[in-house]
């Protein structure tokens, strides 16, 4: 069940200016490094929480349709397309009226519309592709403050300890409490 990033976030949850202020860096000498670290820390936070922070387009690939399935990296905002290979091996795009996004669940679920069933698929790997957008919004201000706070803390560690990876257990309890405290889950 691969999850493919089709369109990466266009921005980061923490801006370069916010990061420089937090790091107490006045010069622009390290802007390239700081920008790269912001992206790396956001990716780490998304991986650890299993969530998409900034709007991005993802594609879930399955061998067949399950009864209902969860869309990884919540929150799911919208379904872009549901494509599948029919029993004759022809690629089909389902009409949006045939399925429904349950975005109230976390993670969101994709289910057949009322009275509908998923079609049969051709017996090949990766016969079903669901493309969707996920994230809290397009701007850093849309990301929950708890997640941004963790990103800034991790950014500080990585900036101050260049060349060292973020420890596996770095503030894991803190991230959990920040995430749970802000009702991300």
């Amino acid at each position: 069940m691969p999850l493919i990033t089709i369109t990466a976030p266009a921005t980061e949850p923490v801006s370069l200016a916010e990061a420089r202020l937090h790091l107490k860096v006045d010069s622009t000498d390290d802007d390239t490094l700081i920008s790269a670290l912001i992206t790396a820390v956001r990716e780490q936070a998304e991986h650890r929480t299993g969530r998409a922070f900034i709007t991005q387009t993802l594609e879930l690939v399955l061998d067949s349709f399950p009864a209902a399935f969860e869309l990884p990296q919540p929150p799911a905002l919208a379904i872009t397309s549901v494509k599948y290979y029919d029993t004759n091996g022809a690629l089909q795009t389902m009409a949006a009226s045939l399925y429904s996004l349950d975005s109230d669940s976390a993670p969101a679920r994709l289910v057949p519309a009322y009275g509908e069933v998923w079609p049969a698929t051709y017996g090949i790997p990766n016969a079903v592709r669901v493309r969707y957008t996920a994230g809290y919004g397009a701007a850093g201000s849309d990301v929950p403050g708890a997640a941004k706070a963790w990103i800034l803390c991790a950014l500080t560690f990585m900036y101050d300890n260049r060349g060292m990876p973020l420890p596996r257990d770095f503030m894991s309890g803190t991230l959990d409490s920040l995430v749970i405290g802000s009702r991300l889950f």
Side-chain angles (χ1 to χ4, degrees), residues 48-49 150 171-182 184-185:
R48 289 183 180 199
T49 62
W150 188 90
M171 292 179 56
S172 61
T174 303
L175 180 59
D176 293 342
S177 66
L178 289 172
V179 168
I180 292 166
S182 68
L184 289 180
F185 289 108

Side-chain angles (χ1 to χ4, degrees), residues 3-93:
L3 183 65
I4 302 164
T5 300
I6 302 299
T7 306
T11 188
E12 295 294 341
V14 173
S15 70
L16 178 59
E18 289 172 311
R20 288 176 69 221
L21 180 65
H22 183 79
L23 295 170
K24 298 179 181 166
V25 172
D26 294 326
S27 77
T28 59
D29 294 347
D30 285 345
D31 282 0
T32 301
L33 170 65
I34 294 168
S35 294
L37 290 175
I38 291 168
T39 300
V41 170
R42 186 240 331 138
E43 289 173 347
Q44 182 67 246
E46 287 181 334
H47 175 74
R48 289 183 180 199
T49 62
R51 295 187 159 267
F53 293 143
I54 297 290
T55 303
Q56 50 198 277
T57 303
L58 303 171
E59 188 168 272
L60 178 62
V61 182
L62 303 165
D63 292 341
S64 62
F65 286 104
F69 48 91
E70 296 179 344
L71 298 175
Q73 296 295 106
L77 302 173
I79 303 297
T80 304
S81 66
V82 177
K83 296 183 179 189
Y84 69 98
Y85 286 93
D86 67 17
T87 55
N88 294 320
L91 183 63
Q92 302 291 331
T93 301

